[in-house]
Amino acid sequence: MEASDADLLQRYAREGSEAAFRELVQRHVNLVYGVAWRHLRSHAPAGDVAQSVFTDLARSAPSLPPGQPLVAWLHVVARRTAIDHVRTEQRRLARETAAAELAAVSTAPDWNALEPLLDEALDALDETDRHALLLRFFENRSLREVGAALGTSDDAAQKRVSRALEELRAGFARRGIALSATGLATQLPAAMVAAPAGLASSITGSALSAATLGSTTATTVASKTLAAASLVLAVGLVWEVRSLASGRRHLADLHQQTVELGPRLEAARAERDRAAVGLQAARQQADASRARNAERTATETALEAWLARVDQLKALIEAAPAVGIPEMRLLASGDWLIVTRDNPLQTEMQRRRALADLRRLAKAKPEIDRNFAQALRALARANEGKWPTGPIDLRPFLQPPLEDAILARYEFTVSDQGLVFSGAKAGARVFQEKAAVDADFDTLTVYWESGNTSNRPFSTPGDLGSSLQKAYADFRAAHPNDQPTGPEQLLPYLPTTVDPAVFRDFWEARRIPLAQ
Amino acid sequence: MKPAPRLLAATFLALLGGTLFQAWLLAGQNRDRASAAAQLAAGQQQLHAWQQERDRAETERAALEKEIAAAAAETATTRAAANDAGLTDWLQRVERLKDWLQQNPERRIPEMQFLNSNDWLSATFDNRLETEAQIRLALRKLRTLAKAKPEISANFNQALHAYMRAHDGEPITALAQLRAYLQPSLGDDILSRYAVVPETPGVNDRNGVNRDGMRFLGAGRIVFEERVLPDADYDTRLIFMEQGNGSVSVSRIEMAVGQATTAFIKANPGIAVSRPEQLLPYLPPAIEEQALREYWEVKDWK
């Protein structure tokens, strides 16, 4: 059984079957060519239109709706394409003018002149009628085939064809052309134009090529885009690969530099640490040096000041010889230093204290103190206990001998006080200084008959030393558990004859320690 | 699609995938490079910083060494300028004693922080510092001077009396009780050198008591005293009694020589002691002959 147009079209659309498409062209090329011929009256343009129509068919095949009568579609498309062609070439107007003039002068119209209007009249029919006429007269189908195509019986097809002819005739009549339905039935097959031999074959190839060309063009565009993109990608890829390689080298270089930097860092750190240790040591040395220098400077300054005080004291004695005693000739340089070490010699009391210290140190010299003690014992043994009359009696027993100026300062007398520790009592015979140079500060050295030596304040009633002793004793009596820590505490116990300001100076001067 | 376009598409996809993958790798590599570069830069910066630190330290060190050399030269110049050789020697003895103490810190007591220049001069002015005994004597003098400073002796004494006044005449039982009364306050290094002496009837509860070969003078019993003496033979011990001021004992060797002298004179009437050998038979066992001979050399020094 022969395949229907729909089947063929579907095979082509679905499978791209060239055979199916060729069969379709074979079947309908005359119809299409005929439509084109009627419009163009020229083989070459008609062939072009036919080719264009089938090319359209090839392109549109996949999108044609199922059930679309192909013959009707081809007719419509062929006519539209032909009209477009005519419009393009400005031929249609001339032909329509000629046809109108012909209709006006002839009652028996020339069919050849009416053919260009046939397709327009066919188009005016409804689709079923047009389909029936196209099948019956342009496809030269039997009434049975027409009925099969229309889905009706033979009789119904006959009736449809007849009615369609009548509609066609009426269409011509409305254009002023009088024709009979029978005449039309006779003339319509004549309107059927056979396409030139080989056209179908040519159209098939060209249409398929054109359709494929469209697809190929799209494919080519996409391919070119793809190719271009691929090229770009390839170039990019190459660039990336090169960059990666370069980056890898750079990275390796960086790593290498970092690795090489490690030992340099270690060395730099070690050098920094060594330098820091060296600096620390140098700082410590510098600090020690500065401290040492400061100490040295302080010591030198202190020594200079100390020696200046010694000079000051010596100058004092030189200016006022009465404050000196002849024993002071025995003083060594150390004695002068001892006396002036802590004594600033700034106040009169401080200077008096220093001079008293010098006198005490002088009297304590072995040449005086031990000499007197030994001479007294020797004198006692020689005189068998007889008490001498004057210091001159000691002279033979003094070793070394002492000058008369020294001896003249002493006397043999009777003590007015006892000696607590040895049990000597007041009234005992003693050898001692006659008078103090400064009763407030001087001590009295007493050589007892027993051979003992003692020292006590050389105080006389009313002087500062005695006043201090009395005030101290009174304070302790009033405050058995306390020691006076300042002169102010003793002021209430002083005789009114003592000037508090003088007493304060005296207190401070007595507090000066004597270096040992 | 025909084979060629498919191949093209596949190629495109492969290239795209490859490109993306390479881009991913490149991004990772860039991060690695940035990290490595940063690490390298940090290292170089550190290197530079350390080199700068080294340079600064060396520059400062050179300057300090120059300063030290200049200070030494200045000192030498100062000394050379001193016309009095005796004074120069004296100053040098002070420095020698300081050097000696620095090398023998166990002979130092914290109270020595209160010494002044005069004290150092005092300890050295008649001491040549040539023998061990001379050095010991000088150090004894320094320590005694230090303990006699008002910040120590008078401070302790006043604090003790202040405490007793505030506690119905009762003396302290622990040295820490003095803290609140010390003016100026004293550090633990000093306080730890002293300890309260428990009252022992017949031993330390009266004046003139002999203890550890030393004779203490004062009023009332001994409340606290120096705990340890750096030089047990030569040092005097600072003690504080219930009444009176802080008192300094005689040293053990002085005590021993005094007792031996008394014994010698008693056994040899009319004969003066002129040589250490004379005292040997009378010397307490605690004092060795060598110690006596060394001390004899300096016994009359002040």
Side-chain angles (χ1 to χ4, degrees):
Chain A
M1 183 178 171
E2 189 180 43
S4 68
D5 287 349
D7 291 339
L8 292 172
L9 198 60
Q10 199 171 6
R11 276 175 57 197
Y12 170 72
R14 192 172 58 239
E15 304 166 10
S17 171
E18 194 174 339
F21 190 78
R22 187 178 298 114
E23 177 61 25
L24 285 172
V25 173
Q26 205 68 46
R27 280 185 189 180
H28 303 296
V29 67
N30 289 338
L31 168 67
V32 173
Y33 184 80
V35 172
W37 170 259
R38 283 192 290 277
H39 283 80
L40 301 172
R41 292 292 169 178
S42 175
H43 285 296
D48 289 343
V49 168
Q51 182 171 318
S52 177
V53 170
F54 281 106
T55 298
D56 278 353
L57 177 63
R59 284 176 183 159
S60 307
S63 59
L64 284 177
Q68 167 71 48
L70 183 59
V71 172
W73 184 89
L74 285 171
H75 181 261
V76 169
V77 174
R79 182 173 168 270
R80 190 166 56 233
T81 306
I83 288 170
D84 288 343
H85 199 86
V86 167
R87 281 175 180 163
T88 303
E89 297 178 10
Q90 297 296 313
R91 291 177 181 172
R92 179 175 174 77
L93 181 60
R95 281 200 297 275
E96 285 186 346
T97 304
E101 288 172 351
L102 183 61
V105 297
S106 175
T107 54
D110 182 355
W111 181 247
N112 287 336
L114 294 178
E115 276 182 353
L117 302 176
L118 177 59
D119 293 302
E120 191 177 336
L122 282 171
D123 265 356
L125 298 178
D126 80 15
E127 188 172 336
T128 308
D129 288 346
R130 183 170 66 246
H131 194 193
L133 291 180
L134 287 173
L135 287 173
R136 182 70 184 99
F137 297 105
F138 290 82
E139 294 275 329
N140 199 26
R141 302 291 178 89
S142 66
L143 286 173
R144 187 163 50 86
E145 289 172 326
V146 172
L150 297 179
T152 61
S153 64
D154 295 355
D155 290 342
Q158 175 61 51
K159 288 177 183 173
R160 171 63 74 176
V161 168
S162 297
R163 193 173 60 221
L165 280 173
E166 181 52 35
E167 287 294 324
L168 187 62
R169 185 203 61 77
F172 275 112
R174 282 192 291 274
R175 288 173 173 82
I177 300 171
L179 291 171
S180 66
T182 308
L184 269 176
T186 307
Q187 291 298 324
L188 278 179
M192 184 66 192
V193 179
L199 181 62
S201 163
S202 168
I203 285 173
T204 302
S206 299
L208 287 176
S209 293
T212 306
L213 182 62
S215 168
T216 303
T217 301
T219 304
T220 302
V221 170
S223 297
K224 282 180 179 173
T225 305
L226 266 180
S230 297
L231 188 60
V232 170
L233 286 177
V235 170
L237 191 58
V238 169
W239 177 82
E240 284 177 338
V241 169
R242 288 170 62 89
S243 293
L244 269 175
S246 163
R248 215 170 284 124
R249 285 194 299 275
H250 186 212
L251 191 58
D253 188 40
L254 287 172
H255 282 148
Q256 181 63 26
Q257 287 185 49
T258 305
V259 168
E260 288 171 357
L261 189 61
R264 291 180 63 202
L265 269 174
E266 282 304 311
R269 180 162 59 187
E271 284 178 15
R272 190 273 313 258
D273 291 347
R274 271 197 299 277
V277 169
L279 175 61
Q280 184 64 21
R283 279 177 177 161
Q284 287 175 349
Q285 285 177 0
D287 287 345
S289 168
R290 289 172 193 145
R292 202 59 180 272
N293 251 6
E295 276 184 27
R296 193 177 293 124
T297 303
T299 305
E300 287 175 2
T301 306
L303 179 56
E304 284 173 12
W306 194 352
L307 295 176
R309 291 196 297 277
V310 170
D311 291 342
Q312 182 187 354
L313 197 56
K314 286 181 175 174
L316 273 177
I317 296 170
E318 219 170 271
V323 299
I325 56 174
E327 294 92 322
M328 285 167 65
R329 280 192 284 274
L330 298 170
L331 290 173
S333 59
D335 299 316
W336 292 90
L337 290 168
I338 286 172
V339 168
T340 51
R341 201 198 83 157
D342 296 314
N343 193 327
L345 304 178
Q346 288 172 347
T347 66
E348 178 63 20
M349 285 294 182
Q350 289 169 346
R351 289 188 284 272
R352 286 172 61 189
R353 162 71 196 274
L355 291 167
D357 285 342
L358 275 179
R359 289 190 291 268
R360 188 162 61 82
L361 288 176
K363 290 185 291 182
K365 287 288 170 186
E367 295 89 340
I368 303 295
D369 187 53
R370 193 186 301 162
N371 202 0
F372 274 148
Q374 289 177 351
L376 283 168
R377 278 196 289 271
L379 177 67
R381 282 198 297 272
N383 290 355
E384 296 177 344
K386 184 183 174 187
W387 198 239
T389 56
I392 299 297
D393 294 343
L394 273 182
R395 192 177 287 162
F397 304 98
L398 289 169
Q399 195 55 250
L402 295 176
E403 54 192 288
D404 290 345
I406 294 175
L407 292 174
R409 293 187 58 250
Y410 294 82
E411 64 181 354
F412 286 98
T413 183
V414 175
S415 175
D416 56 351
Q417 295 179 12
L419 186 61
V420 175
F421 293 109
S422 68
K425 296 178 180 173
R429 292 185 295 190
V430 293
F431 178 70
Q432 63 181 31
E433 286 177 274
K434 291 177 184 171
V437 175
D438 187 338
D440 289 335
F441 287 99
D442 279 347
T443 54
L444 173 67
T445 305
V446 181
Y447 299 90
W448 298 81
E449 193 178 7
S450 62
N452 290 321
T453 307
S454 67
N455 289 286
R456 64 178 173 82
F458 213 139
S459 55
T460 55
D463 66 19
L464 286 171
S466 300
S467 300
L468 173 62
Q469 275 188 311
K470 183 177 178 305
Y472 183 85
D474 292 347
F475 176 90
R476 289 302 306 272
H479 306 88
N481 295 323
D482 285 341
Q483 297 274 354
T485 54
E488 305 303 326
Q489 292 171 290
L490 297 182
L491 290 179
Y493 305 99
L494 287 174
T496 53
T497 53
V498 176
D499 180 352
V502 173
F503 181 75
R504 287 189 195 96
D505 281 352
F506 178 65
W507 172 276
E508 293 302 328
R510 279 183 59 92
R511 276 169 51 85
I512 295 170
L514 186 63
Q516 295 297 314
Chain B
M1 193 174 283
K2 291 184 177 178
R6 283 180 184 164
L7 182 60
L8 196 57
T11 304
F12 173 77
L13 288 175
L15 284 170
L16 182 62
T19 302
L20 292 173
F21 177 67
Q22 294 289 330
W24 178 74
L25 287 179
L26 200 56
Q29 190 190 60
N30 282 340
R31 283 194 298 275
D32 290 346
R33 282 167 60 189
S35 170
Q39 189 183 351
L40 182 62
Q44 285 168 335
Q45 199 174 1
Q46 183 66 74
L47 178 68
H48 185 60
W50 282 344
Q51 285 171 339
Q52 279 189 326
E53 279 182 40
R54 177 204 60 195
D55 292 346
R56 278 197 298 271
E58 286 179 348
T59 303
E60 188 181 345
R61 179 183 174 177
L64 288 171
E65 285 173 345
K66 198 173 171 184
E67 178 192 326
I68 294 166
E74 188 183 333
T75 304
T77 307
T78 306
R79 285 183 190 160
N83 292 325
D84 191 323
L87 295 183
T88 304
D89 286 348
W90 190 0
L91 291 170
Q92 284 178 343
R93 288 199 299 277
V94 169
E95 291 190 21
R96 268 172 48 207
L97 192 57
K98 286 181 177 177
D99 286 342
W100 195 93
L101 254 182
Q102 206 155 27
Q103 290 159 12
N104 299 274
E106 73 281 0
R107 297 299 176 96
R108 175 183 285 276
I109 57 173
E111 292 89 331
M112 288 169 74
Q113 65 188 276
F114 298 109
L115 292 175
N116 58 32
S117 297
N118 280 357
D119 298 320
W120 290 93
L121 288 165
S122 294
T124 52
F125 88 89
D126 59 351
N127 189 327
R128 293 187 300 278
L129 302 178
E130 289 172 345
T131 66
E132 174 73 12
Q134 290 170 2
I135 292 173
R136 289 172 72 181
L137 194 71
L139 291 173
R140 189 274 292 273
K141 189 165 187 175
L142 278 178
R143 288 189 289 263
T144 303
L145 286 170
K147 290 183 288 190
K149 289 288 170 185
E151 292 87 345
I152 302 296
S153 182
N155 194 8
F156 269 138
N157 197 55
Q158 287 168 12
L160 173 62
H161 293 144
Y163 177 90
M164 290 173 66
R165 279 196 299 276
H167 294 82
D168 297 328
E170 283 299 313
I172 58 169
T173 55
L175 211 68
Q177 292 170 324
L178 283 185
R179 279 188 200 281
Y181 301 93
L182 288 167
Q183 190 61 252
S185 59
L186 297 175
D188 286 342
D189 54 343
I190 292 178
L191 292 181
S192 63
R193 294 193 58 251
Y194 298 83
V196 168
V197 179
E199 183 173 355
T200 308
V203 176
N204 67 350
D205 60 343
R206 60 187 171 83
N207 290 341
V209 65
N210 288 326
R211 185 163 178 268
D212 296 333
M214 290 185 271
R215 185 165 180 267
F216 295 97
L217 299 173
R221 71 174 180 89
I222 298 171
V223 179
F224 67 97
E225 64 180 6
E226 247 185 302
R227 200 165 48 82
V228 179
L229 303 177
D231 188 334
D233 283 344
Y234 280 56
D235 276 353
T236 57
R237 190 185 297 273
L238 184 58
I239 63 169
F240 295 89
M241 309 183 81
E242 284 181 330
Q243 295 175 29
N245 297 317
S247 178
V248 177
S249 74
V250 292
S251 70
R252 186 160 68 180
I253 197 159
E254 285 171 329
M255 188 72 193
V257 169
Q259 289 172 341
T261 302
T262 303
F264 174 86
I265 291 172
K266 192 175 180 182
N268 305 277
I271 300 177
V273 177
S274 57
R275 293 174 289 110
E277 293 78 10
Q278 295 172 299
L279 298 183
L280 288 178
Y282 310 99
L283 209 58
I287 304 297
E288 294 180 356
E289 179 183 345
Q290 181 61 25
L292 174 66
R293 291 184 188 281
E294 287 177 2
Y295 174 70
W296 196 261
E297 181 195 351
V298 297
K299 71 180 177 60
D300 293 328
W301 293 16
K302 294 297 181 186

